[in-house]
Amino acid sequence: MTAANRSVLPPLHLLLALAVMAVWGTNFVVIKLALAHLPPLTLAALRFAFAFLPLALFVPRPAVPWRNLATYGVLIGAGQFGLLFTAMRADITPGLASLVVQTQAFFTIALSMRLTGERVAPFQIAALVLAAGGLGIIALHTDGSATPLGLALVLGAALCWALGNMTSRAAGPVNMLAYVVWSSVFAVPPLVALALLTEGWTAISTGIANADGATWAAVAWQAVGNTMFGYGAWGWLLGRYPAASVAPLSLLVPVFGLGASALWMGEALPGWKLTAFALVMAGLALGILWPRLAARFLAGSKPA
């Protein structure tokens, strides 16, 4: 495969990438269904327990220091998903959650700049202003789609996700599926401790006892769909094609998230929500796509 061809995904591989985005986007609805019976931190603990076992029996531990795995596990487990699940219990709809949590891209850029000393570019300021405008619209509406607490919790989840990105980047090139599986074991203890502290054993035991087949299927899907298929396929694509060709497809996650929530959960899509969605997506697209588009423009403008 030539360098030029490596930047273009063939149809089957593009379909695989779209399938991953569909799984990750629609999973917000699956999470909401599971939260009907299980307390949020309990659900998060079960998610990571199933992500570790039985996959750890078949996936070898990556050659990464235990401290790095533990840091990633706590940030993603207790941080990102603990906060996200708590917010989705009653303070934000699945569609909006799938959108707001994507602001992790801005947190990741900011953290990377802090480490490298790189200055903020004008296009990044414009991207942040667009996304902030969308978040502001969400915060100003009080129809039950998102409360200030829910918005704050999901933004906190996005920050933890960004910190997790920096941690995984520090680990160097690794098999991402193996990395996620083995870091998951470190997410379980803090989530269990927080669940016992804030939800209580009565709520935990009652939730587990009342969980039906659909709830357990939703929990299992976190390991099978999101972890085994999602991270496995995504890692395979990133190992085969340039990140610039694959990563922009992640913009489709909130598209699938909002669409699935509207279709399956009856989430309303008033004008203000679509406007907020458009602004946040425009900001994300500008922040992710502009460097590549600018490089192409400059390359095309040079004399032969």
Side-chain angles (χ1 to χ4, degrees), residues 2-304:
T2 66
N5 289 336
R6 280 182 59 86
S7 64
V8 179
L9 275 67
L12 284 178
H13 294 175
L14 179 59
L15 285 175
L16 178 62
L18 292 176
V20 174
M21 297 305 98
V23 166
W24 284 348
T26 58
N27 187 56
F28 287 86
V29 171
V30 176
I31 291 168
K32 185 65 176 180
L33 293 174
L35 287 170
H37 289 109
L38 294 170
L41 296 177
T42 302
L43 173 60
L46 290 170
R47 177 201 193 279
F48 284 94
F50 279 102
F52 178 68
L53 290 174
L55 290 180
L57 300 176
F58 306 98
V59 179
R61 183 176 76 85
V64 174
W66 285 108
R67 178 179 295 181
N68 182 278
L69 284 172
T71 301
Y72 184 84
V74 172
L75 284 170
I76 299 300
Q80 180 189 345
F81 284 96
L83 292 173
L84 178 65
F85 287 9
T86 300
M88 288 183 62
R89 181 68 180 267
D91 290 286
I92 194 168
T93 60
L96 285 181
S98 71
L99 176 65
V100 175
V101 78
Q102 297 304 319
T103 56
Q104 60 83 20
F106 297 109
F107 287 119
T108 300
I109 292 171
L111 291 170
S112 180
M113 286 182 170
R114 181 173 178 81
L115 290 175
T116 62
E118 181 183 350
R119 291 185 177 182
V120 181
F123 80 90
Q124 291 168 327
I125 296 175
L128 184 59
V129 169
L130 285 170
L135 295 177
I137 291 175
I138 296 172
L140 290 173
H141 285 80
T142 57
D143 65 350
S145 293
T147 67
L149 175 62
L151 191 59
L153 287 172
V154 179
L155 287 173
L159 174 59
C160 289
W161 187 359
L163 290 168
N165 289 340
M166 303 307 296
T167 302
S168 64
R169 186 177 300 176
V174 295
N175 180 317
M176 199 59 194
L177 175 61
Y179 187 77
V180 170
V181 168
W182 281 89
S183 65
S184 294
V185 69
F186 296 100
V188 177
L191 284 169
V192 170
L194 288 170
L196 289 170
L197 181 64
T198 62
E199 297 169 352
W201 175 247
T202 300
I204 294 172
S205 59
T206 301
I208 292 175
N210 291 336
D212 55 13
T215 301
W216 288 115
V219 173
W221 183 245
Q222 307 303 306
V224 177
N226 286 270
T227 304
M228 186 183 297
F229 170 71
Y231 283 101
W234 195 245
W236 183 85
L237 289 168
L238 286 173
R240 190 174 180 85
Y241 300 98
S245 299
V246 179
L249 293 170
S250 63
L251 290 170
L252 294 174
V253 170
V255 175
F256 282 109
L258 195 65
S261 186
L263 288 173
W264 296 339
M265 307 294 293
E267 179 174 348
L269 297 178
W272 71 262
K273 190 177 292 187
L274 294 176
T275 301
F277 177 83
L279 286 172
V280 174
M281 291 296 292
L284 290 170
L286 180 60
I288 294 173
L289 299 177
W290 178 256
R292 187 182 181 191
L293 294 175
R296 282 188 175 184
F297 176 77
L298 290 175
S301 63
K302 291 180 180 179

